[in-house]
Amino acid sequence: MLDRELKEFFSSYGLETWEFDVLATLRRSGPPYELTAGALNRAAMVTSGAITNRIDRMAARGLVERIPDAGDRRSVRVRLTGSGLALVDEVLEPHVANEARLLAPLDPRERDHLADALRTLLASLGDTTLG
């Protein structure tokens, strides 16, 4: 049900949920808003073929561009375009408000408990990125 709510929200901006995930991951990387395809692959937790397909589709829409990696000729960096940056910046605040709306039925103590339980579950599955 949460996935359906998020899909509906992102579709109102012409986005798929996975597209927002890629845009937000690049945005979080800080200027110049770029990462290697491998780093995006690890963040998205999908196959290399899936991330290539996603980058292709987003590049065709003008949201990202591929940049040769100056430090490693075998590698390509994926960078937000001006349009991609503008779109993620437009969507971010309403997305946070939408997530707050979805979690509103839980009081702060319940939200903290849920966050702790999800953190424990992720750690048990090998995710150590949350510390």
Side-chain angles (χ1 to χ4, degrees), residues 48-86:
S48 61
I51 201 67
T52 298
N53 182 287
R54 290 177 179 188
I55 293 166
D56 288 346
R57 291 173 63 186
M58 293 180 75
R61 290 188 57 198
L63 300 174
V64 300
E65 60 186 342
R66 287 182 170 89
I67 307 293
D69 190 326
D72 182 354
R73 293 184 316 173
R74 299 167 298 165
S75 184
V76 172
R77 301 187 72 75
V78 180
R79 178 184 298 164
L80 282 178
T81 62
S83 297
L85 181 60

Side-chain angles (χ1 to χ4, degrees), residues 46-128:
V46 295
T47 66
S48 61
I51 201 67
T52 298
N53 182 287
R54 290 177 179 188
I55 293 166
D56 288 346
R57 291 173 63 186
M58 293 180 75
R61 290 188 57 198
L63 300 174
V64 300
E65 60 186 342
R66 287 182 170 89
I67 307 293
D69 190 326
D72 182 354
R73 293 184 316 173
R74 299 167 298 165
S75 184
V76 172
R77 301 187 72 75
V78 180
R79 178 184 298 164
L80 282 178
T81 62
S83 297
L85 181 60
L87 182 57
V88 72
D89 284 350
E90 175 188 353
V91 174
L92 189 58
E93 189 173 328
H95 169 57
V96 171
N98 185 52
E99 287 198 331
R101 177 189 65 83
L102 293 171
L103 293 173
L106 301 176
D107 68 38
R109 186 178 48 83
E110 290 171 319
R111 286 192 297 267
D112 288 344
H113 180 72
L114 176 60
D116 288 343
L118 290 172
R119 188 176 297 110
T120 299
L121 179 61
L122 285 173
S124 77
L125 295 171
D127 187 339
T128 59

